[in-house]
Amino acid sequence: MPDFQKNIDSILEEVKNSSAIGTVASYIPELATVSSAKFGIHLIDANQQTYAAGDANEAFSVQSISKVLTLSMALGILGEEIWKRVDVEPSGDPFNHLSLLEQENGIPRNPFINAGAIVISDILVTQLKNPKEDFLNYVRKLADDSTISYNESVAISEKETGFKNYAAANLLKSYGNLNNKVEDVLDFYFHQCSLSMSCKQLCDTFYLYMNRGKCKRNTSYLTINQIKRINALMLTCGFYDEAGEFAFEVGLPGKSGVGGGIVALLPNKFCITTWSPGLNKKGNSARGMQALERLTTMTELSIF
Ligand code: DON
């Protein structure tokens, strides 16, 4: 195995001096309060050895990264049934686009575009007794960390400005692909996106996608087949209209969020999280993408 700590330290130096720092998301006003100078990186390998640099222990808004976790919970409860309501094809569109949803009669292209994630939220609102509490407990268990929480200010901020998500949920409802009230589903969705986690906590949580469905405590949450499906979706849809570029530059399944986080993994080898709040034009962390490209190039470790 390569010297991960050495690699990470040199990547931190490189990206600190990068001029392409990106722009912090402001369409959710609360996210704009975060400094674009932040940069964290954390890696956990298959033996649970960890390597970190920069702001790796500072919590940030995970946003769309949470969509992998809600998908996992829904898949664990309902199994293959969920694919009747959401497809598994890349969209090539930005995360909040609605045009395909109309063309395809209310079946979202995949569970990571906003419309698809809202369908998954609807499934959990139906299936869970106390949706917000039960989902939070699920994440805490995966990470083995009871300190993980929602950030209410971020959830409220998105509730007040999430007009496109209201449009998506109403469209889904009009096509009969939303069973609960728009307000209830979006309240859950805005909360899942507001989860506040550090690079370390995200690596601990995503460990099971690298470890054939078993979390750090060796408890099995998903089957090997379900892990195959989720990792395939991260590779093909995790970066929306930049999924091709991420596969091309980095070569790992992963998921981004507009809070500036990216989680990526190499099955059976390692899971890595970067955090840098400045986003590129496609809504993915600019320096996070650079850092991950450097890591897989330096170590010559990718799925390809
Ligand atoms: O629904 C939204 O717009 C946000 N809560 C999440 C978007 C997001 O993170 C897209 N990923 N890069």
Side-chain angles (χ1 to χ4, degrees), residues 27-28 62-65 67 95-96 114 158 165 189-190 193 240 255-259 283-284:
Y27 78 100
I28 300 172
V62 311
Q63 293 298 322
S64 284
I65 297 172
K67 294 169 180 173
F95 59 89
N96 55 6
N114 285 4
E158 187 167 13
N165 285 326
Y189 174 76
F190 295 143
C193 289
Y240 314 103
K255 185 73 205 81
S256 63
V258 291
N284 298 313

Side-chain angles (χ1 to χ4, degrees), residues 8-75:
I8 282 176
D9 288 339
S10 90
I11 288 168
L12 179 70
E13 280 313 304
E14 267 186 54
V15 298
K16 260 206 307 212
N17 300 321
S18 163
S19 53
I21 192 165
T23 312
V24 178
S26 57
Y27 78 100
I28 300 172
E30 194 64 22
L31 296 184
T33 61
V34 180
S35 161
S36 63
K38 297 284 181 190
F39 183 88
I41 186 163
H42 185 98
L43 186 148
I44 183 165
D45 70 15
N47 300 319
Q48 304 198 11
Q49 290 290 318
T50 61
Y51 311 86
D55 304 307
N57 285 313
E58 190 168 328
F60 60 90
S61 194
V62 311
Q63 293 298 322
S64 284
I65 297 172
S66 67
K67 294 169 180 173
V68 182
L69 303 171
T70 49
L71 172 65
S72 303
M73 197 176 190
L75 191 57

